[in-house]
Amino acid sequence: STALAARTTASVRVGLVYPLRQYRDYRRCNFGMERRFSAINPSRTAGVGCSRFKLRNGHLSGFRGRIGSKSRDWGALVHLEAHLSVSGQLVGSASARFGFRHVRVNQEALPEGGQSFIVEVNGQPVFLKGANLVPSDMIHSRADRTRYEQLVALALEANFNFLRVWGGGLYESDDFYQLCDEHGILVWQEFIFACGRYPFQNEDFYKNVKMEARFQIRRLAKHPSLIIWCGNNENEWGAWHWRFDE
């Protein structure tokens, strides 16, 4: 109703989160924009109020660049807070942290034949130095945020800027991707299919795979650390050399 719309308001704040000197401390937030607006449009049965913000290209998330450098040159993340009030009383709130990054895999032809495979982030070629990431514990539920903090700390100590999530493992928890976002680690994520003869001709299995892919892509889309999705681990190799296609 119009009366309800008059009493229902929302506020959205958008700010940039900057890394502090110690790699564990990533909390300072500069709120540069704030909007308040009616949360309900009384002219619609199911109206939704909305507010739009524009971020400049300078707010692109970067990456951990110069090997051996302790500088935090990978840019800021965007922190968003939303609050919903009715008659001046807060009834709900939510927050999210995300980032934007332009990624291109340069596969231009080489003069001597073949193609290049160069990852470019925000228009800059990147030398990727890292490792394969397998499940950190045989009992997946024991891999908590503390465990991921330890793994990311080891990656930083080794001057890594890249981790590949192996297709024989699992889609990692949000903690892993959040930590990679915050510390400039780039992630190659494989769909969890590896070294197997999967029944893709089976319609039910195929539909299940589509549901899995759709869910995981949407879940992880906000993480600027995730730069590449890869279809599997060695399934094609199995078809070519292990007779999986027979």
Side-chain angles (χ1 to χ4, degrees):
S1 67
T2 304
L4 179 61
R7 293 185 290 111
T8 305
T9 61
S11 66
V12 177
R13 295 200 298 169
V14 176
L16 300 177
V17 184
Y18 297 95
L20 297 182
R21 182 164 298 177
Q22 299 299 319
Y23 98 92
R24 290 179 180 274
D25 199 349
Y26 203 99
R27 300 169 186 157
R28 184 174 63 192
C29 186
N30 174 28
F31 281 102
M33 294 172 282
E34 182 168 1
R35 303 272 178 82
R36 295 181 182 274
F37 55 96
S38 174
I40 296 179
N41 185 342
S43 64
R44 299 179 182 178
T45 303
V48 176
C50 67
S51 185
R52 296 180 180 180
F53 296 86
K54 290 185 178 181
L55 296 175
R56 297 185 300 273
N57 288 338
H59 294 154
L60 289 173
S61 295
F63 53 92
R64 190 174 182 83
R66 298 186 298 276
I67 300 302
S69 171
K70 295 183 179 180
S71 66
R72 301 297 186 259
D73 57 357
W74 54 85
L77 298 175
V78 179
H79 183 84
L80 183 143
E81 292 182 2
H83 306 276
L84 182 66
S85 300
V86 176
S87 299
Q89 297 295 318
L90 181 66
V91 297
S93 62
S95 64
R97 184 176 293 180
F98 54 93
F100 301 96
R101 173 180 282 145
H102 182 271
V103 179
R104 173 176 179 256
V105 178
N106 183 342
Q107 292 184 279
E108 296 176 353
L110 297 173
E112 61 273 20
Q115 293 177 307
S116 60
F117 193 95
I118 301 172
V119 175
E120 299 175 356
V121 179
N122 299 337
Q124 179 179 346
V126 184
F127 176 76
L128 299 176
K129 177 183 178 181
N132 292 319
L133 184 75
V134 301
S136 59
D137 199 300
M138 292 181 63
I139 301 175
H140 299 329
S141 61
R142 295 196 305 201
D144 57 8
R145 188 176 182 89
T146 299
R147 179 76 62 88
Y148 287 117
E149 286 178 342
Q150 294 169 347
L151 288 172
V152 170
L154 290 172
L156 296 175
E157 184 178 351
N159 286 321
F160 287 174
N161 64 0
F162 181 77
L163 291 172
R164 172 216 177 197
V165 180
W166 173 56
L170 69 157
Y171 304 101
E172 297 289 351
S173 74
D174 289 334
D175 288 330
F176 168 74
Y177 302 98
Q178 288 170 2
L179 289 165
C180 289
D181 291 344
E182 294 175 0
H183 303 302
I185 301 294
L186 305 177
V187 176
W188 169 301
Q189 174 68 54
E190 296 184 352
F191 290 98
I192 306 304
F193 302 97
C195 309
R197 184 180 293 179
Y198 294 94
F200 287 112
Q201 294 79 13
N202 181 285
E203 186 66 21
D204 290 336
F205 181 82
Y206 180 69
K207 290 179 179 178
N208 186 268
V209 169
K210 288 180 66 176
M211 291 172 58
E212 174 183 316
R214 184 180 295 111
F215 173 83
Q216 294 296 343
I217 290 172
R218 289 176 174 175
R219 178 176 78 92
L220 300 176
K222 67 182 180 181
H223 295 289
S225 57
L226 202 165
I227 61 169
I228 293 177
W229 281 96
C230 177
N232 62 77
N233 172 78
E234 297 185 2
N235 282 2
E236 287 84 359
W237 192 266
W240 297 332
H241 296 281
W242 303 333
R243 298 183 176 180
F244 282 2
D245 58 342
E246 295 181 3

